[in-house]
Amino acid sequence: EIVLTQSPGTLSLSPGERATLSCRASQSVSNNFLAWYQQKPGQAPRLLIYVASSRATGIPDRFSGSGSGTDFTLTINRLEPEDFAVYYCQQYGTSPLTFGPGTKVDIK
Amino acid sequence: EVQLLESGGGLVQPGGSLRLSCAASGFTFSSYAMSWVRQAPGKGLEWVSSISGGSGTTYYADSVKGRFTISRDNSKNTLFVQMNSLKAEDTAIYYCAKGQVAAPDSIRFDPWGQGTLVTVSS
């Protein structure tokens, strides 16, 4: 099983700042099948990024993904108030599908 | 617009059974794999099970293998999961989610339903 580690656990930032979230895999993610999801309190997760760097439909371009192999990054430029949430990475290249533990982005 | 609506959650005793449903609309249901993902209270996300568009292939997490059975009725655009021998650690919100292709392997989840809460407690 591929174990995903996300860092930091919590990121405290102000609106307008840049957030950089890390996701590290215990082994190489096949085909860079790495996705990022956003979850707000009381809501279901929402897909942001797939195949490491492709934005899902309707996702603002301030969200970007990068990386390959075992190291991946989600960057949120110019944080908006609605971006404060928990972010999960997921690998879907190897069964079983696995998620990271999440990074909470909260308001400083 | 794709919509997924889960139902069937509730309170069940340890060792009991429950069947969850997910009604889908807004897309050709039989053309896409579907999955169940759960989230224990205050915890992260855990993939539970996936099924191919044609129902021929299923996958399960080790934590539920032998106890949960995923199925679908393509004539009714509905996904199911039959949960038997439930344990306290199965307590979670259960989300259904759509895959991007018919095959159930190598799938991401988009979109997700709003979830249904299953509580296993005496």
Side-chain angles (χ1 to χ4, degrees), chain A residues 6-7 11 18-23 34-38 48-50 52-53 55 59 62-67 71-77 86-89 103 105:
Chain A
Q6 292 187 243
S7 61
L11 195 52
R18 172 184 294 177
T20 303
L21 287 66
S22 173
C23 176
L34 192 286
W36 290 93
Y37 301 87
Q38 176 194 66
L48 299 175
I49 300 288
Y50 62 96
S53 60
R55 266 188 306 276
I59 301 304
R62 65 180 181 273
F63 290 91
S64 63
S66 63
D71 289 297
F72 300 88
T73 300
L74 175 69
T75 301
I76 312 171
N77 286 311
V86 179
Y87 293 84
Y88 295 95
C89 57
T103 289
V105 179

PDB file of all heavy atoms in Angstrom, chain A residues 6-7 11 18-23 34-38 48-50 52-53 55 59 62-67 71-77 86-89 103 105:
ATOM      1  N   GLN A   6       1.317  14.139   4.350  1.00  0.00           N
ATOM      2  CA  GLN A   6       1.097  15.532   4.003  1.00  0.00           C
ATOM      3  C   GLN A   6       1.722  16.443   5.052  1.00  0.00           C
ATOM      4  O   GLN A   6       1.678  16.158   6.252  1.00  0.00           O
ATOM      5  CB  GLN A   6      -0.400  15.842   3.885  1.00  0.00           C
ATOM      6  CG  GLN A   6      -1.053  15.159   2.691  1.00  0.00           C
ATOM      7  CD  GLN A   6      -2.486  15.600   2.482  1.00  0.00           C
ATOM      8  OE1 GLN A   6      -3.415  14.795   2.576  1.00  0.00           O
ATOM      9  NE2 GLN A   6      -2.667  16.888   2.208  1.00  0.00           N
ATOM     10  N   SER A   7       2.296  17.528   4.574  1.00  0.00           N
ATOM     11  CA  SER A   7       2.874  18.509   5.488  1.00  0.00           C
ATOM     12  C   SER A   7       2.643  19.918   4.956  1.00  0.00           C
ATOM     13  O   SER A   7       2.554  20.119   3.740  1.00  0.00           O
ATOM     14  CB  SER A   7       4.374  18.247   5.679  1.00  0.00           C
ATOM     15  OG  SER A   7       5.067  18.358   4.446  1.00  0.00           O
ATOM     16  N   LEU A  11      -1.572  24.917   8.408  1.00  0.00           N
ATOM     17  CA  LEU A  11      -0.911  26.064   7.815  1.00  0.00           C
ATOM     18  C   LEU A  11      -1.751  27.299   8.139  1.00  0.00           C
ATOM     19  O   LEU A  11      -2.925  27.370   7.752  1.00  0.00           O
ATOM     20  CB  LEU A  11      -0.825  25.867   6.295  1.00  0.00           C
ATOM     21  CG  LEU A  11       0.088  26.717   5.443  1.00  0.00           C
ATOM     22  CD1 LEU A  11       1.505  26.703   5.989  1.00  0.00           C
ATOM     23  CD2 LEU A  11       0.052  26.232   4.002  1.00  0.00           C
ATOM     24  N   ARG A  18       0.217  33.215  -0.110  1.00  0.00           N
ATOM     25  CA  ARG A  18       0.347  31.985  -0.891  1.00  0.00           C
ATOM     26  C   ARG A  18       0.470  30.803   0.053  1.00  0.00           C
ATOM     27  O   ARG A  18       1.207  30.843   1.026  1.00  0.00           O
ATOM     28  CB  ARG A  18       1.572  32.041  -1.793  1.00  0.00           C
ATOM     29  CG  ARG A  18       1.881  30.707  -2.500  1.00  0.00           C
ATOM     30  CD  ARG A  18       3.156  30.798  -3.307  1.00  0.00           C
ATOM     31  NE  ARG A  18       3.030  31.725  -4.408  1.00  0.00           N
ATOM     32  CZ  ARG A  18       4.015  32.040  -5.229  1.00  0.00           C
ATOM     33  NH1 ARG A  18       5.215  31.501  -5.065  1.00  0.00           N
ATOM     34  NH2 ARG A  18       3.821  32.883  -6.216  1.00  0.00           N
ATOM     35  N   ALA A  19      -0.257  29.721  -0.275  1.00  0.00           N
ATOM     36  CA  ALA A  19      -0.166  28.477   0.491  1.00  0.00           C
ATOM     37  C   ALA A  19       0.562  27.428  -0.336  1.00  0.00           C
ATOM     38  O   ALA A  19       0.263  27.245  -1.521  1.00  0.00           O
ATOM     39  CB  ALA A  19      -1.571  27.982   0.847  1.00  0.00           C
ATOM     40  N   THR A  20       1.491  26.739   0.309  1.00  0.00           N
ATOM     41  CA  THR A  20       2.218  25.655  -0.346  1.00  0.00           C
ATOM     42  C   THR A  20       2.071  24.402   0.498  1.00  0.00           C
ATOM     43  O   THR A  20       2.539  24.347   1.638  1.00  0.00           O
ATOM     44  CB  THR A  20       3.702  26.013  -0.520  1.00  0.00           C
ATOM     45  OG1 THR A  20       3.816  27.230  -1.256  1.00  0.00           O
ATOM     46  CG2 THR A  20       4.429  24.901  -1.266  1.00  0.00           C
ATOM     47  N   LEU A  21       1.387  23.394  -0.060  1.00  0.00           N
ATOM     48  CA  LEU A  21       1.085  22.162   0.651  1.00  0.00           C
ATOM     49  C   LEU A  21       1.851  21.020  -0.018  1.00  0.00           C
ATOM     50  O   LEU A  21       1.917  20.931  -1.236  1.00  0.00           O
ATOM     51  CB  LEU A  21      -0.414  21.856   0.583  1.00  0.00           C
ATOM     52  CG  LEU A  21      -1.381  22.708   1.417  1.00  0.00           C
ATOM     53  CD1 LEU A  21      -1.437  24.154   0.957  1.00  0.00           C
ATOM     54  CD2 LEU A  21      -2.771  22.086   1.385  1.00  0.00           C
ATOM     55  N   SER A  22       2.384  20.141   0.817  1.00  0.00           N
ATOM     56  CA  SER A  22       3.203  19.046   0.321  1.00  0.00           C
ATOM     57  C   SER A  22       2.521  17.697   0.527  1.00  0.00           C
ATOM     58  O   SER A  22       1.843  17.482   1.534  1.00  0.00           O
ATOM     59  CB  SER A  22       4.550  19.053   1.035  1.00  0.00           C
ATOM     60  OG  SER A  22       5.302  17.917   0.686  1.00  0.00           O
ATOM     61  N   CYS A  23       2.727  16.794  -0.410  1.00  0.00           N
ATOM     62  CA  CYS A  23       2.245  15.421  -0.325  1.00  0.00           C
ATOM     63  C   CYS A  23       3.384  14.519  -0.790  1.00  0.00           C
ATOM     64  O   CYS A  23       3.849  14.643  -1.928  1.00  0.00           O
ATOM     65  CB  CYS A  23       1.009  15.237  -1.199  1.00  0.00           C
ATOM     66  SG  CYS A  23       0.357  13.543  -1.271  1.00  0.00           S
ATOM     67  N   LEU A  34      -2.131  11.434  -9.121  1.00  0.00           N
ATOM     68  CA  LEU A  34      -2.208  12.078  -7.813  1.00  0.00           C
ATOM     69  C   LEU A  34      -3.259  13.181  -7.909  1.00  0.00           C
ATOM     70  O   LEU A  34      -3.204  14.022  -8.824  1.00  0.00           O
ATOM     71  CB  LEU A  34      -0.845  12.643  -7.426  1.00  0.00           C
ATOM     72  CG  LEU A  34      -0.555  13.133  -5.992  1.00  0.00           C
ATOM     73  CD1 LEU A  34      -1.221  14.456  -5.692  1.00  0.00           C
ATOM     74  CD2 LEU A  34      -0.947  12.106  -4.951  1.00  0.00           C
ATOM     75  N   ALA A  35      -4.221  13.152  -7.003  1.00  0.00           N
ATOM     76  CA  ALA A  35      -5.299  14.134  -6.990  1.00  0.00           C
ATOM     77  C   ALA A  35      -5.281  14.916  -5.682  1.00  0.00           C
ATOM     78  O   ALA A  35      -4.779  14.433  -4.659  1.00  0.00           O
ATOM     79  CB  ALA A  35      -6.652  13.446  -7.167  1.00  0.00           C
ATOM     80  N   TRP A  36      -5.826  16.117  -5.740  1.00  0.00           N
ATOM     81  CA  TRP A  36      -6.001  16.961  -4.552  1.00  0.00           C
ATOM     82  C   TRP A  36      -7.485  17.289  -4.405  1.00  0.00           C
ATOM     83  O   TRP A  36      -8.174  17.585  -5.393  1.00  0.00           O
ATOM     84  CB  TRP A  36      -5.216  18.255  -4.694  1.00  0.00           C
ATOM     85  CG  TRP A  36      -3.731  18.120  -4.628  1.00  0.00           C
ATOM     86  CD1 TRP A  36      -2.870  17.965  -5.677  1.00  0.00           C
ATOM     87  CD2 TRP A  36      -2.927  18.155  -3.443  1.00  0.00           C
ATOM     88  NE1 TRP A  36      -1.570  17.887  -5.221  1.00  0.00           N
ATOM     89  CE2 TRP A  36      -1.573  18.012  -3.848  1.00  0.00           C
ATOM     90  CE3 TRP A  36      -3.188  18.306  -2.081  1.00  0.00           C
ATOM     91  CZ2 TRP A  36      -0.509  18.013  -2.945  1.00  0.00           C
ATOM     92  CZ3 TRP A  36      -2.139  18.297  -1.190  1.00  0.00           C
ATOM     93  CH2 TRP A  36      -0.815  18.153  -1.620  1.00  0.00           C
ATOM     94  N   TYR A  37      -7.958  17.255  -3.163  1.00  0.00           N
ATOM     95  CA  TYR A  37      -9.336  17.581  -2.840  1.00  0.00           C
ATOM     96  C   TYR A  37      -9.377  18.651  -1.759  1.00  0.00           C
ATOM     97  O   TYR A  37      -8.497  18.707  -0.900  1.00  0.00           O
ATOM     98  CB  TYR A  37     -10.095  16.353  -2.315  1.00  0.00           C
ATOM     99  CG  TYR A  37     -10.139  15.193  -3.287  1.00  0.00           C
ATOM    100  CD1 TYR A  37      -9.112  14.262  -3.322  1.00  0.00           C
ATOM    101  CD2 TYR A  37     -11.207  15.033  -4.162  1.00  0.00           C
ATOM    102  CE1 TYR A  37      -9.131  13.203  -4.219  1.00  0.00           C
ATOM    103  CE2 TYR A  37     -11.247  13.970  -5.062  1.00  0.00           C
ATOM    104  CZ  TYR A  37     -10.207  13.064  -5.083  1.00  0.00           C
ATOM    105  OH  TYR A  37     -10.241  12.020  -5.971  1.00  0.00           O
ATOM    106  N   GLN A  38     -10.418  19.454  -1.804  1.00  0.00           N
ATOM    107  CA  GLN A  38     -10.692  20.449  -0.781  1.00  0.00           C
ATOM    108  C   GLN A  38     -11.944  20.030  -0.026  1.00  0.00           C
ATOM    109  O   GLN A  38     -12.934  19.625  -0.646  1.00  0.00           O
ATOM    110  CB  GLN A  38     -10.926  21.810  -1.444  1.00  0.00           C
ATOM    111  CG  GLN A  38     -11.318  22.934  -0.492  1.00  0.00           C
ATOM    112  CD  GLN A  38     -11.856  24.136  -1.259  1.00  0.00           C
ATOM    113  OE1 GLN A  38     -12.908  24.086  -1.887  1.00  0.00           O
ATOM    114  NE2 GLN A  38     -11.113  25.229  -1.230  1.00  0.00           N
ATOM    115  N   LEU A  48      -9.970  19.113  -6.880  1.00  0.00           N
ATOM    116  CA  LEU A  48      -9.312  20.324  -7.366  1.00  0.00           C
ATOM    117  C   LEU A  48      -8.373  20.030  -8.533  1.00  0.00           C
ATOM    118  O   LEU A  48      -8.383  20.711  -9.556  1.00  0.00           O
ATOM    119  CB  LEU A  48      -8.476  20.962  -6.245  1.00  0.00           C
ATOM    120  CG  LEU A  48      -9.172  21.418  -4.977  1.00  0.00           C
ATOM    121  CD1 LEU A  48      -8.122  21.899  -3.976  1.00  0.00           C
ATOM    122  CD2 LEU A  48     -10.176  22.520  -5.278  1.00  0.00           C
ATOM    123  N   ILE A  49      -7.505  19.035  -8.322  1.00  0.00           N
ATOM    124  CA  ILE A  49      -6.400  18.740  -9.235  1.00  0.00           C
ATOM    125  C   ILE A  49      -6.357  17.231  -9.477  1.00  0.00           C
ATOM    126  O   ILE A  49      -6.571  16.450  -8.540  1.00  0.00           O
ATOM    127  CB  ILE A  49      -5.052  19.178  -8.619  1.00  0.00           C
ATOM    128  CG1 ILE A  49      -5.030  20.678  -8.325  1.00  0.00           C
ATOM    129  CG2 ILE A  49      -3.880  18.769  -9.520  1.00  0.00           C
ATOM    130  CD1 ILE A  49      -4.950  21.577  -9.529  1.00  0.00           C
ATOM    131  N   TYR A  50      -6.072  16.828 -10.709  1.00  0.00           N
ATOM    132  CA  TYR A  50      -5.861  15.414 -11.014  1.00  0.00           C
ATOM    133  C   TYR A  50      -4.633  15.257 -11.915  1.00  0.00           C
ATOM    134  O   TYR A  50      -4.169  16.248 -12.504  1.00  0.00           O
ATOM    135  CB  TYR A  50      -7.107  14.786 -11.646  1.00  0.00           C
ATOM    136  CG  TYR A  50      -7.528  15.386 -12.969  1.00  0.00           C
ATOM    137  CD1 TYR A  50      -7.152  14.811 -14.164  1.00  0.00           C
ATOM    138  CD2 TYR A  50      -8.313  16.540 -13.005  1.00  0.00           C
ATOM    139  CE1 TYR A  50      -7.528  15.356 -15.372  1.00  0.00           C
ATOM    140  CE2 TYR A  50      -8.694  17.106 -14.210  1.00  0.00           C
ATOM    141  CZ  TYR A  50      -8.305  16.508 -15.400  1.00  0.00           C
ATOM    142  OH  TYR A  50      -8.678  17.055 -16.588  1.00  0.00           O
ATOM    143  N   ALA A  52      -1.767  15.077 -11.032  1.00  0.00           N
ATOM    144  CA  ALA A  52      -0.757  15.937 -10.397  1.00  0.00           C
ATOM    145  C   ALA A  52      -0.885  17.428 -10.704  1.00  0.00           C
ATOM    146  O   ALA A  52      -0.597  18.258  -9.829  1.00  0.00           O
ATOM    147  CB  ALA A  52       0.663  15.466 -10.740  1.00  0.00           C
ATOM    148  N   SER A  53      -1.310  17.776 -11.923  1.00  0.00           N
ATOM    149  CA  SER A  53      -1.237  19.197 -12.281  1.00  0.00           C
ATOM    150  C   SER A  53      -2.404  19.714 -13.119  1.00  0.00           C
ATOM    151  O   SER A  53      -2.397  20.898 -13.498  1.00  0.00           O
ATOM    152  CB  SER A  53       0.068  19.477 -13.034  1.00  0.00           C
ATOM    153  OG  SER A  53       0.126  18.702 -14.219  1.00  0.00           O
ATOM    154  N   ARG A  55      -6.134  21.009 -13.566  1.00  0.00           N
ATOM    155  CA  ARG A  55      -7.229  21.534 -12.757  1.00  0.00           C
ATOM    156  C   ARG A  55      -8.560  20.920 -13.173  1.00  0.00           C
ATOM    157  O   ARG A  55      -8.845  20.788 -14.379  1.00  0.00           O
ATOM    158  CB  ARG A  55      -7.329  23.064 -12.889  1.00  0.00           C
ATOM    159  CG  ARG A  55      -6.592  23.839 -11.812  1.00  0.00           C
ATOM    160  CD  ARG A  55      -6.906  25.333 -11.910  1.00  0.00           C
ATOM    161  NE  ARG A  55      -6.633  25.850 -13.240  1.00  0.00           N
ATOM    162  CZ  ARG A  55      -5.441  26.249 -13.641  1.00  0.00           C
ATOM    163  NH1 ARG A  55      -4.404  26.160 -12.821  1.00  0.00           N
ATOM    164  NH2 ARG A  55      -5.267  26.723 -14.866  1.00  0.00           N
ATOM    165  N   ILE A  59     -12.432  24.925 -11.386  1.00  0.00           N
ATOM    166  CA  ILE A  59     -11.494  25.293 -10.312  1.00  0.00           C
ATOM    167  C   ILE A  59     -10.700  26.534 -10.732  1.00  0.00           C
ATOM    168  O   ILE A  59     -10.113  26.555 -11.821  1.00  0.00           O
ATOM    169  CB  ILE A  59     -10.542  24.119 -10.004  1.00  0.00           C
ATOM    170  CG1 ILE A  59     -11.350  22.880  -9.582  1.00  0.00           C
ATOM    171  CG2 ILE A  59      -9.543  24.516  -8.932  1.00  0.00           C
ATOM    172  CD1 ILE A  59     -12.275  23.094  -8.398  1.00  0.00           C
ATOM    173  N   ARG A  62      -5.985  30.086  -9.454  1.00  0.00           N
ATOM    174  CA  ARG A  62      -5.070  30.313  -8.327  1.00  0.00           C
ATOM    175  C   ARG A  62      -4.639  28.998  -7.689  1.00  0.00           C
ATOM    176  O   ARG A  62      -3.685  28.967  -6.909  1.00  0.00           O
ATOM    177  CB  ARG A  62      -5.683  31.232  -7.275  1.00  0.00           C
ATOM    178  CG  ARG A  62      -6.894  30.696  -6.564  1.00  0.00           C
ATOM    179  CD  ARG A  62      -7.400  31.716  -5.527  1.00  0.00           C
ATOM    180  NE  ARG A  62      -8.563  31.227  -4.798  1.00  0.00           N
ATOM    181  CZ  ARG A  62      -9.806  31.376  -5.219  1.00  0.00           C
ATOM    182  NH1 ARG A  62     -10.058  32.001  -6.356  1.00  0.00           N
ATOM    183  NH2 ARG A  62     -10.812  30.888  -4.502  1.00  0.00           N
ATOM    184  N   PHE A  63      -5.343  27.898  -8.011  1.00  0.00           N
ATOM    185  CA  PHE A  63      -4.953  26.568  -7.551  1.00  0.00           C
ATOM    186  C   PHE A  63      -4.068  25.916  -8.626  1.00  0.00           C
ATOM    187  O   PHE A  63      -4.456  25.843  -9.799  1.00  0.00           O
ATOM    188  CB  PHE A  63      -6.183  25.686  -7.330  1.00  0.00           C
ATOM    189  CG  PHE A  63      -7.030  26.091  -6.162  1.00  0.00           C
ATOM    190  CD1 PHE A  63      -8.089  26.982  -6.320  1.00  0.00           C
ATOM    191  CD2 PHE A  63      -6.787  25.593  -4.890  1.00  0.00           C
ATOM    192  CE1 PHE A  63      -8.875  27.374  -5.255  1.00  0.00           C
ATOM    193  CE2 PHE A  63      -7.569  25.967  -3.805  1.00  0.00           C
ATOM    194  CZ  PHE A  63      -8.621  26.860  -3.984  1.00  0.00           C
ATOM    195  N   SER A  64      -2.907  25.432  -8.207  1.00  0.00           N
ATOM    196  CA  SER A  64      -2.057  24.728  -9.146  1.00  0.00           C
ATOM    197  C   SER A  64      -1.378  23.563  -8.457  1.00  0.00           C
ATOM    198  O   SER A  64      -1.084  23.612  -7.254  1.00  0.00           O
ATOM    199  CB  SER A  64      -1.008  25.665  -9.759  1.00  0.00           C
ATOM    200  OG  SER A  64      -0.143  26.152  -8.764  1.00  0.00           O
ATOM    201  N   GLY A  65      -1.145  22.503  -9.227  1.00  0.00           N
ATOM    202  CA  GLY A  65      -0.471  21.334  -8.706  1.00  0.00           C
ATOM    203  C   GLY A  65       0.797  21.068  -9.488  1.00  0.00           C
ATOM    204  O   GLY A  65       0.898  21.395 -10.672  1.00  0.00           O
ATOM    205  N   SER A  66       1.771  20.485  -8.805  1.00  0.00           N
ATOM    206  CA  SER A  66       3.027  20.154  -9.460  1.00  0.00           C
ATOM    207  C   SER A  66       3.620  18.925  -8.803  1.00  0.00           C
ATOM    208  O   SER A  66       3.134  18.460  -7.761  1.00  0.00           O
ATOM    209  CB  SER A  66       4.007  21.327  -9.385  1.00  0.00           C
ATOM    210  OG  SER A  66       4.333  21.614  -8.039  1.00  0.00           O
ATOM    211  N   GLY A  67       4.700  18.421  -9.413  1.00  0.00           N
ATOM    212  CA  GLY A  67       5.406  17.285  -8.844  1.00  0.00           C
ATOM    213  C   GLY A  67       5.286  16.032  -9.680  1.00  0.00           C
ATOM    214  O   GLY A  67       4.512  15.964 -10.639  1.00  0.00           O
ATOM    215  N   ASP A  71       6.986  13.100  -4.862  1.00  0.00           N
ATOM    216  CA  ASP A  71       6.823  14.419  -4.240  1.00  0.00           C
ATOM    217  C   ASP A  71       5.912  15.327  -5.045  1.00  0.00           C
ATOM    218  O   ASP A  71       6.190  15.606  -6.220  1.00  0.00           O
ATOM    219  CB  ASP A  71       8.184  15.086  -4.072  1.00  0.00           C
ATOM    220  CG  ASP A  71       9.015  14.413  -2.998  1.00  0.00           C
ATOM    221  OD1 ASP A  71       8.593  14.438  -1.824  1.00  0.00           O
ATOM    222  OD2 ASP A  71      10.068  13.853  -3.345  1.00  0.00           O
ATOM    223  N   PHE A  72       4.853  15.782  -4.388  1.00  0.00           N
ATOM    224  CA  PHE A  72       3.837  16.580  -5.050  1.00  0.00           C
ATOM    225  C   PHE A  72       3.500  17.803  -4.205  1.00  0.00           C
ATOM    226  O   PHE A  72       3.636  17.783  -2.978  1.00  0.00           O
ATOM    227  CB  PHE A  72       2.568  15.746  -5.279  1.00  0.00           C
ATOM    228  CG  PHE A  72       2.807  14.536  -6.137  1.00  0.00           C
ATOM    229  CD1 PHE A  72       3.203  13.331  -5.566  1.00  0.00           C
ATOM    230  CD2 PHE A  72       2.675  14.600  -7.512  1.00  0.00           C
ATOM    231  CE1 PHE A  72       3.450  12.217  -6.350  1.00  0.00           C
ATOM    232  CE2 PHE A  72       2.909  13.492  -8.320  1.00  0.00           C
ATOM    233  CZ  PHE A  72       3.309  12.297  -7.735  1.00  0.00           C
ATOM    234  N   THR A  73       3.079  18.867  -4.886  1.00  0.00           N
ATOM    235  CA  THR A  73       2.781  20.126  -4.215  1.00  0.00           C
ATOM    236  C   THR A  73       1.491  20.720  -4.752  1.00  0.00           C
ATOM    237  O   THR A  73       1.236  20.697  -5.959  1.00  0.00           O
ATOM    238  CB  THR A  73       3.930  21.134  -4.439  1.00  0.00           C
ATOM    239  OG1 THR A  73       5.145  20.596  -3.908  1.00  0.00           O
ATOM    240  CG2 THR A  73       3.631  22.461  -3.741  1.00  0.00           C
ATOM    241  N   LEU A  74       0.683  21.227  -3.834  1.00  0.00           N
ATOM    242  CA  LEU A  74      -0.484  22.038  -4.191  1.00  0.00           C
ATOM    243  C   LEU A  74      -0.165  23.466  -3.764  1.00  0.00           C
ATOM    244  O   LEU A  74       0.184  23.701  -2.604  1.00  0.00           O
ATOM    245  CB  LEU A  74      -1.740  21.542  -3.480  1.00  0.00           C
ATOM    246  CG  LEU A  74      -2.998  22.400  -3.681  1.00  0.00           C
ATOM    247  CD1 LEU A  74      -3.493  22.306  -5.118  1.00  0.00           C
ATOM    248  CD2 LEU A  74      -4.109  21.992  -2.708  1.00  0.00           C
ATOM    249  N   THR A  75      -0.295  24.391  -4.697  1.00  0.00           N
ATOM    250  CA  THR A  75      -0.057  25.797  -4.407  1.00  0.00           C
ATOM    251  C   THR A  75      -1.344  26.569  -4.600  1.00  0.00           C
ATOM    252  O   THR A  75      -2.042  26.382  -5.607  1.00  0.00           O
ATOM    253  CB  THR A  75       1.037  26.378  -5.325  1.00  0.00           C
ATOM    254  OG1 THR A  75       2.251  25.643  -5.144  1.00  0.00           O
ATOM    255  CG2 THR A  75       1.290  27.843  -4.996  1.00  0.00           C
ATOM    256  N   ILE A  76      -1.661  27.402  -3.624  1.00  0.00           N
ATOM    257  CA  ILE A  76      -2.826  28.283  -3.738  1.00  0.00           C
ATOM    258  C   ILE A  76      -2.301  29.714  -3.690  1.00  0.00           C
ATOM    259  O   ILE A  76      -1.777  30.154  -2.663  1.00  0.00           O
ATOM    260  CB  ILE A  76      -3.831  28.071  -2.594  1.00  0.00           C
ATOM    261  CG1 ILE A  76      -4.124  26.585  -2.380  1.00  0.00           C
ATOM    262  CG2 ILE A  76      -5.124  28.829  -2.893  1.00  0.00           C
ATOM    263  CD1 ILE A  76      -4.933  26.292  -1.121  1.00  0.00           C
ATOM    264  N   ASN A  77      -2.380  30.395  -4.795  1.00  0.00           N
ATOM    265  CA  ASN A  77      -1.919  31.783  -4.863  1.00  0.00           C
ATOM    266  C   ASN A  77      -3.020  32.725  -4.378  1.00  0.00           C
ATOM    267  O   ASN A  77      -4.201  32.512  -4.661  1.00  0.00           O
ATOM    268  CB  ASN A  77      -1.538  32.142  -6.294  1.00  0.00           C
ATOM    269  CG  ASN A  77      -0.225  31.507  -6.710  1.00  0.00           C
ATOM    270  OD1 ASN A  77       0.778  31.592  -5.995  1.00  0.00           O
ATOM    271  ND2 ASN A  77      -0.210  30.852  -7.855  1.00  0.00           N
ATOM    272  N   VAL A  86      -9.681  22.090   4.624  1.00  0.00           N
ATOM    273  CA  VAL A  86      -8.735  20.986   4.716  1.00  0.00           C
ATOM    274  C   VAL A  86      -8.497  20.438   3.301  1.00  0.00           C
ATOM    275  O   VAL A  86      -9.445  20.314   2.512  1.00  0.00           O
ATOM    276  CB  VAL A  86      -9.265  19.863   5.632  1.00  0.00           C
ATOM    277  CG1 VAL A  86      -8.265  18.703   5.683  1.00  0.00           C
ATOM    278  CG2 VAL A  86      -9.510  20.405   7.038  1.00  0.00           C
ATOM    279  N   TYR A  87      -7.246  20.128   3.009  1.00  0.00           N
ATOM    280  CA  TYR A  87      -6.865  19.638   1.691  1.00  0.00           C
ATOM    281  C   TYR A  87      -6.256  18.242   1.818  1.00  0.00           C
ATOM    282  O   TYR A  87      -5.380  18.014   2.662  1.00  0.00           O
ATOM    283  CB  TYR A  87      -5.865  20.595   1.036  1.00  0.00           C
ATOM    284  CG  TYR A  87      -6.507  21.927   0.712  1.00  0.00           C
ATOM    285  CD1 TYR A  87      -6.606  22.921   1.679  1.00  0.00           C
ATOM    286  CD2 TYR A  87      -7.056  22.171  -0.539  1.00  0.00           C
ATOM    287  CE1 TYR A  87      -7.224  24.136   1.409  1.00  0.00           C
ATOM    288  CE2 TYR A  87      -7.674  23.380  -0.827  1.00  0.00           C
ATOM    289  CZ  TYR A  87      -7.759  24.355   0.158  1.00  0.00           C
ATOM    290  OH  TYR A  87      -8.388  25.550  -0.129  1.00  0.00           O
ATOM    291  N   TYR A  88      -6.751  17.335   0.987  1.00  0.00           N
ATOM    292  CA  TYR A  88      -6.269  15.957   0.980  1.00  0.00           C
ATOM    293  C   TYR A  88      -5.657  15.632  -0.371  1.00  0.00           C
ATOM    294  O   TYR A  88      -6.186  16.019  -1.412  1.00  0.00           O
ATOM    295  CB  TYR A  88      -7.426  14.980   1.202  1.00  0.00           C
ATOM    296  CG  TYR A  88      -8.093  15.066   2.558  1.00  0.00           C
ATOM    297  CD1 TYR A  88      -9.234  15.829   2.757  1.00  0.00           C
ATOM    298  CD2 TYR A  88      -7.579  14.365   3.648  1.00  0.00           C
ATOM    299  CE1 TYR A  88      -9.852  15.905   3.982  1.00  0.00           C
ATOM    300  CE2 TYR A  88      -8.191  14.430   4.892  1.00  0.00           C
ATOM    301  CZ  TYR A  88      -9.326  15.210   5.052  1.00  0.00           C
ATOM    302  OH  TYR A  88      -9.932  15.280   6.274  1.00  0.00           O
ATOM    303  N   CYS A  89      -4.562  14.868  -0.348  1.00  0.00           N
ATOM    304  CA  CYS A  89      -4.067  14.286  -1.591  1.00  0.00           C
ATOM    305  C   CYS A  89      -4.510  12.820  -1.637  1.00  0.00           C
ATOM    306  O   CYS A  89      -4.788  12.199  -0.594  1.00  0.00           O
ATOM    307  CB  CYS A  89      -2.556  14.413  -1.723  1.00  0.00           C
ATOM    308  SG  CYS A  89      -1.567  13.683  -0.393  1.00  0.00           S
ATOM    309  N   THR A 103      -4.107  18.459   5.169  1.00  0.00           N
ATOM    310  CA  THR A 103      -3.493  19.699   5.675  1.00  0.00           C
ATOM    311  C   THR A 103      -4.615  20.714   5.868  1.00  0.00           C
ATOM    312  O   THR A 103      -5.393  20.962   4.946  1.00  0.00           O
ATOM    313  CB  THR A 103      -2.461  20.274   4.687  1.00  0.00           C
ATOM    314  OG1 THR A 103      -1.312  19.442   4.657  1.00  0.00           O
ATOM    315  CG2 THR A 103      -2.048  21.688   5.107  1.00  0.00           C
ATOM    316  N   VAL A 105      -5.736  24.437   6.262  1.00  0.00           N
ATOM    317  CA  VAL A 105      -5.313  25.815   6.024  1.00  0.00           C
ATOM    318  C   VAL A 105      -6.278  26.705   6.787  1.00  0.00           C
ATOM    319  O   VAL A 105      -7.480  26.747   6.464  1.00  0.00           O
ATOM    320  CB  VAL A 105      -5.315  26.150   4.524  1.00  0.00           C
ATOM    321  CG1 VAL A 105      -4.896  27.610   4.310  1.00  0.00           C
ATOM    322  CG2 VAL A 105      -4.376  25.218   3.767  1.00  0.00           C
TER     323      VAL A 105
END
